[in-house]
């Protein structure tokens, strides 16, 4: 049995079309949407609406952690555009989802990332794509548990939830062989992004579940350039399966 695992697709439909090659199933751990590419400021919904120069500025503000200024700058841009932000963003997301969900191979098992909009997934998920959040599935005799979304941050991305709500989803999984999530467990080596030079939010609930239930693997993404891509917590192998948007390569598990 082989499964290919990806995360942080961020608009990479071309890579997604071959992500399941050679595998019995594809697992996707979220962040399909590309709102703004921090490596190439010409890509994403934001530059499509506001242009590359404005994308350059908002990336600079966010990178400097000047979030209040970034939000005010964003409000000024939306006011000048004269469009309802929710409507304009949803239109961009829908265009991306139509292309990306069409590229998923069958079978695919997917959960949401923090920049995804869960309410739209049921419209675009085709037969052969199973969406899981706080739910389990058995593949090849192993039980995989999925927890989608992220925790609340100053970035206020679309699918951020409270620590309590997130912990309840982790608890609902019970004991699994493979714990799949978008964000990592709350361990400094796994949450620190060496390029952005900041800690992303990890989950203490995931970390507690790993220590308590000892799954074989904990798989996740979210941190694009982590200090450590792989480490052990007790009996559990923790793996950042990679920033698929830039690599186009899945991480493979065979047994």
């Amino acid at each position: 049995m082989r499964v290919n695992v990806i995360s942080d697709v961020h608009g990479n439909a071309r890579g997604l079309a071959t992500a399941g090659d050679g595998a019995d199933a594809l697992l996707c751990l979220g962040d399909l949407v590309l709102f703004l590419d921090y490596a190439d400021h010409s890509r994403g919904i934001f530059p499509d609406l506001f242009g590359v120069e404005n994308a350059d500025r908002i990336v600079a503000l966010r990178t400097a952690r000047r979030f209040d200024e970034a939000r005010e700058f964003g409000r000024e841009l939306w006011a000048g555009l004269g469009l309802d932000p929710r409507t304009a963003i949803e239109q961009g997301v829908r265009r991306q989802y139509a292309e990306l969900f069409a590229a998923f191979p069958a079978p695919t098992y997917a959960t949401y990332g923090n920049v995804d909009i869960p309410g739209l997934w049921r419209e675009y998920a085709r037969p052969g794509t199973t969406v899981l959040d706080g739910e389990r599935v058995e593949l090849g005799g192993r039980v995989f548990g999925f927890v989608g979304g992220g925790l609340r941050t100053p970035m206020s991305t679309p699918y951020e939830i409270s620590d309590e709500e997130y912990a309840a989803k982790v608890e609902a999984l019970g004991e699994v062989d493979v714990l799949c999530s978008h964000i990592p467990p709350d361990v400094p080596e796994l949450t620190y992004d060496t390029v952005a030079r900041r800690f992303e939010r990890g989950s203490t609930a995931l970390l507690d579940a790993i220590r308590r239930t000892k799954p074989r693997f904990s798989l996740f993404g979210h941190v694009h350039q982590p200090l450590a891509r792989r480490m052990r917590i007790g009996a559990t192998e923790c793996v950042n399966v990679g920033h698929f948007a830039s690599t186009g390569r899945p991480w493979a598990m065979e047994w």
Side-chain angles (χ1 to χ4, degrees), residues 7 12 15 17-18 36 65 122 129 143 182 187 192 202 227 241 245 248 252:
S7 185
N12 188 354
T18 58
L36 176 56
R65 304 186 66 79
R122 65 178 64 93
T129 296
V143 177
H182 177 66
V187 177
Y192 186 73
L227 187 62
V241 299

Side-chain angles (χ1 to χ4, degrees), residues 11-245:
N12 188 354
R14 178 178 296 180
L16 191 57
T18 58
D21 287 0
D24 297 288
L26 176 70
L27 311 186
C28 179
L29 306 186
D31 271 8
L32 301 186
V33 172
L34 178 61
F35 186 71
L36 176 56
D37 189 333
Y38 277 56
D40 179 354
H41 302 168
S42 68
R43 298 181 64 242
I45 295 170
F46 187 96
D48 288 347
L49 290 168
F50 301 114
V52 177
E53 289 186 7
N54 288 322
D56 290 342
R57 175 160 173 73
I58 204 159
V59 168
L61 290 172
R62 288 178 175 177
T63 301
R65 304 186 66 79
R66 293 158 59 184
F67 296 117
D68 289 340
E69 291 178 63
R71 280 191 287 270
E72 180 58 32
F73 180 56
R75 283 192 288 268
E76 293 173 2
L77 290 176
W78 283 112
L81 198 63
L83 295 175
D84 173 58
R86 185 182 296 274
T87 300
I89 291 172
E90 184 175 309
Q91 288 173 348
V93 171
R94 285 181 176 277
R95 286 193 296 271
Q96 292 186 13
Y97 278 172
E99 182 180 17
L100 292 163
F101 276 95
F104 273 137
T108 292
Y109 300 88
T111 196
Y112 315 112
N114 61 293
V115 302
D116 288 312
I117 301 178
L120 297 181
W121 278 39
R122 65 178 64 93
E123 296 183 37
Y124 293 94
R126 300 181 173 197
T129 296
T130 302
V131 180
L132 301 155
D133 188 15
E135 299 164 286
R136 301 149 50 109
V137 67
E138 184 177 333
L139 301 172
R142 289 186 177 181
V143 177
F144 290 72
F146 291 78
V147 184
L151 298 172
R152 288 176 181 157
T153 71
M155 301 288 282
S156 297
T157 51
Y159 191 39
E160 294 181 356
I161 60 178
S162 70
D163 289 58
E164 294 76 15
E165 185 178 353
Y166 195 92
K169 292 195 296 184
V170 175
E171 182 68 22
L173 296 179
E175 293 189 10
V176 297
D177 296 303
V178 185
L179 180 57
C180 301
S181 58
H182 177 66
I183 63 174
D186 190 19
V187 177
E189 294 90 337
L190 301 176
T191 59
Y192 186 73
D193 191 305
T194 60
V195 174
R197 292 184 295 179
R198 66 170 182 261
F199 288 98
E200 302 290 354
R201 284 214 64 189
S203 167
T204 56
L206 288 172
L207 181 58
D208 290 344
I210 289 168
R211 288 171 170 162
R212 185 177 69 255
T213 66
K214 300 177 176 59
R216 295 171 186 244
F217 289 91
S218 168
L219 308 180
F220 48 86
H222 187 56
V223 183
H224 294 175
Q225 299 91 16
L227 187 62
R229 291 200 175 275
R230 193 165 184 155
M231 66 180 293
R232 295 193 72 85
I233 299 175
T236 302
E237 188 75 16
C238 299
V239 183
N240 184 317
V241 299
H243 182 207
F244 188 77

